[in-house]
Amino acid sequence: MTKTTIPVHLDINGRHHDLQLEPRVTLLDALRDRLGLTGTKKGCDHGQCGACTVHVDGERVLACLTLAAQAEGRTVTTIEGLAREGEMHPVQAAFLEQDAFQCGYCTPGQIMSAVACIREGHAGSDDEIREYMAGNLCRCGAYPHIVAAVRQAALEAAS
Amino acid sequence: MRDFSYVRANSLAAARQAAALPGAMLLAGGTTLIDLAKCGVAEPETLVDITHLKGLDRIEMNERGATIGALARMSRVADHADIKIHFPAVSEALWQAASAQIRNMATIGGNLFAPAPYGDFAVALLALDATVGTDDGQTPIETFLANRDGSRAVVTSVSFTLPKADSFRFLKVSRVKPKGVSVLSIAAVLELSSDGTVTSARIALGCMADRPMRARAAEKALIGRTLTADGIAPALAAAGDGISPITDPIASAWYRAEVLPVHLGRLLLA
């Protein structure tokens, strides 16, 4: 198979990157293998676990099912881009405070999903949080604390 | 994933032209296509990215019906104020699809091409007797689905007339509720006379073939009947007519065929 590469220009966490990639490279692989942004995790690589959740133009999507080339001209935010001037994002702080993880592998995806969930207005009750966080699996089963963290961050955002 | 070339279409005409290349496939949300390409099930030689086309994500809904742009994403349609006002059942049907992330990616146009067990919304659209708009003109959804494999046209919109109040029903059956992959899905538009007998019925099934299909024998068996256990019995007996269910890790063809009348009964008696 020919290794044809194409130029791909990506805006990630406010920084511009010029890459040469095979067209088949997913946004997830570009982030992790080419840009060293390994905060975004590869879980199933098939769109079922949510570990690779990032924001494209402010909306949560799965980096494993997005081609890097498709993200050109869009604004990408990863877990590395959430903190502001050394201050944790309120959702990150809430996850720490509520002990909302065990092994931590799903956590970046959970947090990116939670930030979007709150912004979408889908964090009004525990049931709604569970429902709209259902695309992020946690094999350790930290769900009760994850819901508590999202609830806490949503309340803080509302106040 | 096998490598492919990538073309970003900047106009409908360019998309159409690129789609005519050998082995070319259109790429929209990618939630099915990229996944199938990773598994080696889809082997595109060229992916034509249409997600940068402008103006194909409009959503219009009023008391008469809806026109939804092919690139409108499921989440946008489900959350659209006019859809929620005039036809909340569409929101509910979409809400049952996958996760928030997938719904932010998956497009209404792409759903028309999703192989079973995916594409439950296309099942709803088939029951609604939707019309598929392409750069070639308007096609009834049933014809479109039958010919979708060889289609080189670019889907631009899906439109449908609002069914009479409370006539639309949708059921998705999955083991992980409600977001799991479908065992099957059923959508129906049933019109009743004042005495409660069925005057018209359109029933669409998901997972009963490689794409959504109509349950014509069951529809016919419902006409003039009431929605009671006795009334629907002939329709349930005819539900399996012409089906050829898929087998996958969720369920076997045999199981799907066995439970179809059970779930159709629940939908009709709900």
Side-chain angles (χ1 to χ4, degrees):
Chain A
M1 199 72 218
T2 51
K3 296 278 181 191
T4 316
T5 61
I6 53 171
V8 177
H9 310 283
L10 295 176
D11 279 302
I12 298 160
N13 303 331
R15 281 192 57 189
H16 189 80
H17 300 271
D18 297 314
L19 300 171
Q20 278 287 331
L21 299 171
E22 287 178 43
R24 63 178 165 181
V25 172
T26 59
L27 178 60
L28 175 61
D29 288 340
L31 289 171
R32 291 181 57 83
D33 299 342
R34 297 297 299 271
L35 298 171
L37 293 169
T38 53
T40 306
K41 301 304 183 201
K42 183 183 276 195
C44 69
D45 208 24
H46 284 286
Q48 296 178 10
C49 75
C52 66
T53 303
V54 298
H55 297 176
V56 172
D57 286 347
E59 296 197 329
R60 49 175 161 163
V61 300
L62 300 173
C64 76
L65 294 182
T66 304
L67 295 180
Q70 278 182 291
E72 196 169 271
R74 318 267 191 217
T75 306
V76 180
T77 307
T78 71
I79 189 75
E80 290 92 342
L82 274 192
R84 286 279 170 272
E85 293 159 14
E87 284 262 313
M88 271 190 292
H89 187 282
V91 175
Q92 291 176 304
F95 267 67
L96 263 185
E97 209 163 304
Q98 294 291 340
D99 198 15
F101 41 79
Q102 185 174 311
C103 82
Y105 196 80
C106 71
T107 310
Q110 298 279 1
I111 290 174
M112 294 310 287
S113 204
V115 170
C117 178
I118 294 166
R119 192 159 53 207
E120 290 159 10
H122 289 312
S125 68
D126 284 5
D127 279 349
E128 195 180 19
I129 291 168
R130 283 190 202 98
E131 170 51 48
Y132 281 88
M133 291 293 293
N136 292 81
L137 306 183
C138 170
R139 289 297 301 271
C140 303
Y143 296 112
H145 290 199
I146 292 170
V147 172
V150 179
R151 184 176 55 221
Q152 178 186 319
L155 287 172
E156 286 168 6
S159 65
Chain B
M1 182 161 39
R2 207 177 81 164
D3 207 7
F4 41 74
S5 29
Y6 172 86
V7 177
R8 181 176 304 145
N10 293 313
S11 68
L12 261 184
R16 176 64 179 265
Q17 200 175 10
L21 296 169
M25 298 179 85
L26 296 180
L27 174 65
T31 54
T32 306
L33 182 50
I34 299 294
D35 188 32
L36 293 180
K38 284 183 180 187
C39 303
V41 174
E43 293 190 305
E45 285 173 42
T46 300
L47 281 187
V48 184
D49 181 0
I50 57 169
T51 56
H52 293 252
L53 294 181
K54 304 274 182 240
L56 288 184
D57 58 353
R58 273 196 286 272
I59 302 164
E60 287 162 40
M61 171 111 224
N62 55 35
E63 62 286 345
R64 289 185 302 280
T67 299
I68 301 172
L71 290 180
R73 284 164 296 149
M74 283 184 160
S75 56
R76 287 290 167 85
V77 179
D79 283 340
H80 196 271
D82 292 338
I83 299 265
K84 282 181 163 174
I85 292 168
H86 297 293
F87 201 4
V90 159
S91 283
E92 285 154 30
L94 285 167
W95 170 81
Q96 292 184 50
S99 63
Q101 291 96 315
I102 297 271
R103 293 196 297 272
N104 274 343
M105 303 169 74
T107 64
I108 298 302
N111 205 261
L112 298 173
F113 293 90
Y118 308 112
D120 297 311
F121 191 63
V123 175
L125 290 171
L126 179 57
L128 289 167
D129 209 13
T131 300
V132 179
T134 71
D135 59 337
D136 246 0
Q138 307 281 321
T139 312
I141 185 168
E142 198 165 4
T143 313
F144 180 86
L145 289 170
N147 300 323
R148 71 181 182 184
D149 298 339
S151 170
R152 284 285 166 265
V154 182
V155 176
T156 53
S157 67
V158 177
S159 46
F160 55 84
T161 314
L162 190 67
K164 283 189 184 157
D166 303 323
S167 65
F168 176 76
R169 301 172 185 212
F170 179 79
L171 175 70
K172 171 177 167 176
V173 180
S174 57
R175 296 184 182 215
V176 178
K177 291 182 175 57
K179 311 288 175 162
V181 173
S182 282
V183 170
L184 58 87
S185 55
I186 310 172
V189 176
L190 304 170
E191 290 182 14
L192 309 179
S193 67
S194 51
D195 66 354
T197 58
V198 176
T199 55
S200 85
R202 261 198 325 270
I203 301 172
L205 308 174
C207 296
M208 293 301 145
D210 68 343
R211 64 198 74 196
M213 64 174 283
R214 289 271 294 273
R216 284 226 152 70
E219 292 172 356
K220 213 172 142 196
L222 271 180
I223 304 298
R225 312 284 298 193
T226 54
L227 295 180
T228 58
D230 285 344
I232 66 169
L236 300 192
D241 204 59
I243 62 168
S244 170
I246 59 160
T247 287
D248 65 5
I250 301 293
S252 65
W254 174 84
Y255 178 79
R256 283 185 160 106
E258 285 292 308
V259 298
L260 171 63
V262 177
H263 291 294
L264 179 60
R266 287 177 188 168
L267 179 88
L268 294 175
L269 296 177

